[in-house]
């Protein structure tokens, strides 16, 4: 029964992940913390509140987080992927609720301190809030049950540069700081999320079975599917589908056996043309540069039973009554 705090930058695929966290009978969603990434933090915070309204859970607390990376300047939001409004340019209504007064970092630290060893922290945006939470309370890694992160890639090319995935690219200093601490952490990166593909017909099933939440997930996915389809068309494909990035991290919390992981001291490159690149040292050779040595081990997924993950996602969403 994972008790989850979800750190998120909604975000079209973030909305799919939030739907899964709400729908899965074994998950208790304790709160959302918002961060810049797919849009500016004011927009991702508004989106988080609106998503909870649509999914019938306005009582779940939302704590607003970082507006900018730890040290570098913020990159422009990828509105060509998630739309200007971060949710596919659909009609976003004014949320019925407001964020709580605590910051994301304060909420994470307080909840972990009140429930030591019980909370699974899932991060599906840039890791700035997680880094700020560690800076606020350096004992945080020992207080959480586990940390699950959607980001990076062990060997698959990146989606922002040939080496970097978006969440780690957006704040590489935060990511490298997070993985310098010793927590039970697992990275769910592009190596597995790009194998886990939601097809348009899957989204149509969700639309036709999950009420207003299903219609919302369909409507917000149009812009996202069009983006992926335009890229696939360049390769001669007429496929209409999208990678299930963020929801894969949530499925991992209830179905870890569907994933194959490697482990080792982990860095995220912070500067230069490789900024944002994830590097898991699975060999631990006596290398000439000690930048990986004496760092704790982090796990990262390199394989996935994608049909099982997709079936778990779809059956969870379609078997839940959001209204
Ligand atoms: O690279 C994919 C990740 O970047 C996902 O979390 C998506 O929502 C974007 O934030
Ligand atoms: Ca995200």
């Amino acid at each position: 029964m994972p008790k989850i705090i979800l750190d998120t930058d909604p975000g079209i695929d973030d909305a799919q992940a939030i739907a899964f966290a709400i729908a899965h009978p074994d998950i208790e969603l304790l709160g959302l913390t918002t961060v810049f990434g797919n849009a500016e933090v004011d927009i991702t915070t508004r989106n988080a509140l609106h998503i909870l309204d649509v999914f019938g859970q306005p009582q779940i607390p939302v704590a607003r987080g970082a507006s900018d990376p730890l040290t570098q300047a913020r990159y422009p939001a990828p509105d060509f992927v998630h739309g200007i409004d971060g949710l596919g340019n659909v009609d976003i209504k004014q949320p019925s609720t407001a964020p709580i007064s605590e910051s994301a970092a304060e909420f994470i630290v307080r909840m972990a301190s009140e429930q030591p060893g019980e909370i699974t922290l899932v991060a599906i945006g840039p890791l700035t809030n997680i880094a700020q939470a560690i800076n606020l309370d350096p004992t945080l890694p020992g207080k959480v049950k586990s940390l699950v992160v959607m980001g990076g890639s062990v060997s698959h090319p990146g989606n922002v540069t040939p080496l970097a995935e978006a969440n780690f690219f957006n704040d590489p200093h935060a990511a490298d700081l997070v993985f310098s601490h010793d927590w039970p952490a697992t990275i769910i990166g592009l190596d597995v999320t790009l194998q886990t593909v939601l097809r348009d017909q899957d989204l149509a099933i969700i639309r036709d079975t999950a009420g207003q939440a299903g219609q919302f997930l369909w409507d917000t996915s149009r812009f996202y599917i069009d983006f992926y389809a335009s890229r696939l068309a360049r390769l001669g494909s007429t496929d209409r589908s999208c990678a299930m990035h963020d929801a894969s991290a949530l499925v991992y919390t209830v179905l870890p056996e569907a994933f194959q992981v490697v482990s080792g001291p982990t860095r995220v490159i912070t500067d230069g043309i490789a900024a944002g690149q994830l590097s898991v040292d699975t060999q631990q050779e006596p290398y000439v540069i000690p930048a990986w040595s004496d760092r704790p081990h982090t796990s990262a997924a390199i394989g996935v039973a994608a049909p099982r993950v997709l079936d778990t996602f779809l059956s969870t969403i379609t078997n839940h009554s959001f209204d």
Side-chain angles (χ1 to χ4, degrees):
M1 183 79 173
K3 297 166 76 169
I4 288 177
I5 291 176
L6 181 58
D7 190 64
T8 177
D9 61 336
I12 292 166
D13 62 323
D14 300 69
Q16 296 164 1
I18 295 167
F20 180 82
I22 288 169
H24 197 280
D26 294 344
I27 292 178
E28 181 184 359
L29 183 58
L30 299 177
L32 300 181
T33 52
T34 58
V35 64
F36 74 93
N38 289 324
E40 296 183 8
V41 70
D42 285 342
I43 294 175
T44 61
T45 304
R46 188 267 328 258
N47 290 350
L49 294 165
H50 176 67
I51 287 166
L52 292 175
D53 277 346
V54 172
F55 294 166
Q57 300 291 326
Q59 79 289 349
I60 292 178
V62 174
R64 186 187 188 279
S67 57
D68 295 283
L70 280 190
T71 53
Q72 69 186 32
R74 174 164 45 86
Y75 286 106
D79 54 16
F80 56 97
V81 181
H82 292 267
I84 299 287
D85 67 359
L87 286 176
N89 295 335
V90 296
D91 172 28
I92 303 294
K93 294 180 175 50
Q94 189 60 26
S96 68
T97 59
I100 59 175
S101 58
E102 284 173 309
S103 70
E106 290 166 342
F107 177 75
I108 290 167
V109 166
R110 175 176 62 81
M111 293 291 284
S113 302
E114 290 175 356
Q115 304 180 54
E118 295 186 32
I119 294 173
T120 296
L121 192 50
V122 181
I124 56 177
L127 294 179
T128 317
N129 290 338
I130 313 303
Q132 289 182 342
I134 295 173
N135 289 338
L136 185 61
D137 176 2
T139 69
L140 177 66
K143 291 178 179 172
V144 301
K145 182 177 181 183
S146 64
L147 170 68
V148 181
V149 171
M150 191 281 136
S153 59
V154 174
S155 57
H156 195 283
N159 59 0
V160 179
T161 76
L163 299 173
E165 174 279 331
N167 288 336
F168 289 7
F169 181 76
N170 272 326
D171 197 343
H173 298 87
D176 193 48
L177 184 153
V178 166
F179 301 127
S180 71
H181 288 262
D182 190 7
W183 19 16
T186 303
I187 297 169
I188 305 297
L190 299 180
D191 312 85
V192 297
T193 64
L194 287 171
Q195 294 182 50
T196 312
V197 175
L198 266 179
R199 303 163 304 167
D200 230 9
Q201 52 263 52
D202 300 321
L203 290 158
I205 291 168
I206 290 172
R207 177 198 61 205
D208 298 340
T209 56
Q212 74 160 1
Q215 187 64 54
F216 177 80
L217 290 171
W218 170 265
D219 293 342
T220 53
S221 62
R222 296 307 83 206
F223 191 90
Y224 196 57
I225 290 279
D226 287 345
F227 165 73
Y228 271 87
S230 65
R231 293 176 67 230
L232 290 168
R234 289 203 297 268
L235 305 172
S237 166
T238 58
D239 192 28
R240 287 182 60 78
S241 61
C242 61
M244 198 173 81
H245 295 299
D246 289 338
S248 294
L250 275 296
V251 174
Y252 175 80
T253 68
V254 293
L255 196 70
E257 63 272 22
F259 296 80
Q260 178 197 352
V261 301
V262 293
S263 297
T266 295
R267 296 307 301 256
V268 176
I269 310 309
T270 55
D271 303 288
I273 64 168
Q277 181 180 14
L278 168 68
S279 173
V280 181
D281 173 12
T282 58
Q283 307 302 313
Q284 288 113 66
E285 298 287 344
Y287 295 116
V288 295
I289 299 175
W292 282 258
S293 31
D294 73 37
R295 278 175 77 104
H297 287 203
T298 297
S299 295
I302 57 167
V304 62
R308 275 191 77 189
V309 171
L310 284 163
D311 181 60
T312 300
F313 175 77
L314 284 171
S315 60
T316 298
I317 300 292
T318 53
N319 289 332
H320 181 76
S321 172
F322 288 88
D323 303 328

